[in-house]
Amino acid sequence: AQSVAQPEDQVNVAEGNPLTVKCTYSVSGNPYLFWYVQYPNRGLQFLLKYITGDNLVKGSYGFEAEFNKSQTSFHLKKPSALVSDSALYFCAVRAGKGSTLGRLYFGRGTQLTVWP
Amino acid sequence: EPEVTQTPSHQVTQMGQEVILRCVPISNHLYFYWYRQILGQKVEFLVSFYNNEISEKSEIFDDQFSVERPDGSNFTLKIRSTKLEDSAMYFCASSEAGGSGYNEQFFGPGTRLTVL
């Protein structure tokens, strides 16, 4: 069965410091991995994805994520956090084989707070 | 930038009543989805829809639920007889043609359904 774990409900970081939001996954076959961000009263906004190729993927707003197959992880990172990055972050996975039209499995979300 | 829209933003209904949640996907997208998020829980897949038929549905999507694309722009989720446990945020999403799971899904802002 497919699943995603985000072990931290909250991450707090000072502005200008690097940030990491953790995600591990379990999936049949090769994973397709996604990060979404949700601001208050807004829908989930796509940040980045890993499908294949380079393990380090870059996305919107300076975010990047590193795919680690041996650790089944896909942690979200940013070298220098901004107060405006404060939001709820969701990791999601879809099985790369034997699935139909893209059913996503989500983690519980991690609330990121960047303080000035 | 094109976006998925949903109406209403908040729906309050009495238990046993029927509700219809409406979505307008991005215009050139052909794959449509409904997800829901009960307060404090994960975002959960309900159903995917392509070519005017359901492609996949989860165990949550029982006979009380139905989806329809009544015209060229709208995509609706109907709950025939609402229950208290249907109270949740319902998200609509769409993705581009191609059907492969690596196309990211674009989410609407959600409809908060409250069943009294």
Side-chain angles (χ1 to χ4, degrees), chain A residues 3-5 32 34 36 38 41-46 49 51 88 90 94 99-108, chain B residues 31 33 35 37 40-43 45 48 50 55-59 91 99-109:
Chain A
S3 67
V4 173
Y32 295 163
F34 303 83
Y36 286 85
Q38 185 180 31
N41 301 315
R42 300 287 299 275
L44 283 73
Q45 296 179 38
F46 169 74
K49 64 184 177 185
I51 304 302
L88 188 58
F90 291 96
R94 185 221 158 207
S99 187
T100 56
L101 290 181
R103 170 178 181 169
L104 293 175
Y105 294 84
F106 283 87
R108 297 179 68 89
Chain B
Y31 301 85
Y33 313 85
Y35 292 81
Q37 185 180 30
Q41 298 187 23
K42 292 185 179 184
V43 176
F45 170 82
S48 58
Y50 167 70
S55 300
E56 185 181 6
K57 59 184 181 180
S58 72
E59 58 280 359
F91 292 106
S100 53
Y102 54 77
N103 286 317
E104 58 269 27
Q105 294 172 24
F106 292 82
F107 285 77

Side-chain angles (χ1 to χ4, degrees), chain B residues 2 7 11 36-37 44 69 83 92-93 98 101 111:
Chain B
T7 54
Q11 175 88 47
R36 78 173 186 189
Q37 185 180 30
E44 302 172 292
R69 188 153 164 83
K83 297 174 280 193
C92 174
T111 293

Side-chain angles (χ1 to χ4, degrees), chain B residues 2-111:
Chain B
E3 57 184 18
V4 176
T5 60
Q6 291 184 243
T7 54
S9 57
H10 192 188
Q11 175 88 47
V12 181
T13 190
Q14 295 291 324
M15 188 170 56
Q17 294 297 304
E18 174 183 287
V19 295
I20 298 177
L21 310 183
R22 304 181 190 279
C23 168
V24 179
I26 294 174
S27 61
N28 64 333
H29 287 186
L30 297 178
Y31 301 85
F32 313 115
Y33 313 85
W34 284 101
Y35 292 81
R36 78 173 186 189
Q37 185 180 30
I38 295 172
L39 190 62
Q41 298 187 23
K42 292 185 179 184
V43 176
E44 302 172 292
F45 170 82
L46 292 177
V47 66
S48 58
F49 189 87
Y50 167 70
N51 199 25
N52 284 320
E53 61 182 23
I54 290 173
S55 300
E56 185 181 6
K57 59 184 181 180
S58 72
E59 58 280 359
I60 302 169
F61 195 89
D62 60 22
D63 292 343
Q64 294 295 318
F65 292 89
S66 62
V67 289
E68 189 179 28
R69 188 153 164 83
D71 53 42
S73 59
N74 290 283
F75 179 52
T76 62
L77 174 69
K78 181 191 291 186
I79 309 175
R80 289 188 182 82
S81 179
T82 51
K83 297 174 280 193
L84 294 176
E85 54 264 38
D86 294 327
S87 295
M89 180 72 87
Y90 288 80
F91 292 106
C92 174
S94 67
S95 63
E96 285 183 335
S100 53
Y102 54 77
N103 286 317
E104 58 269 27
Q105 294 172 24
F106 292 82
F107 285 77
T111 293

Side-chain angles (χ1 to χ4, degrees), chain A residues 23-74:
Chain A
C23 171
T24 59
Y25 65 89
S26 173
V27 70
S28 305
N30 293 322
Y32 295 163
L33 292 154
F34 303 83
W35 275 102
Y36 286 85
V37 60
Q38 185 180 31
Y39 296 98
N41 301 315
R42 300 287 299 275
L44 283 73
Q45 296 179 38
F46 169 74
L47 274 181
L48 50 78
K49 64 184 177 185
Y50 172 82
I51 304 302
T52 187
D54 194 346
N55 288 343
L56 184 66
V57 294
K58 296 185 183 298
S60 307
Y61 312 120
F63 284 93
E64 57 190 28
E66 186 168 13
F67 171 65
N68 187 317
K69 188 173 183 178
S70 63
Q71 297 185 5
T72 62
S73 67
F74 188 56

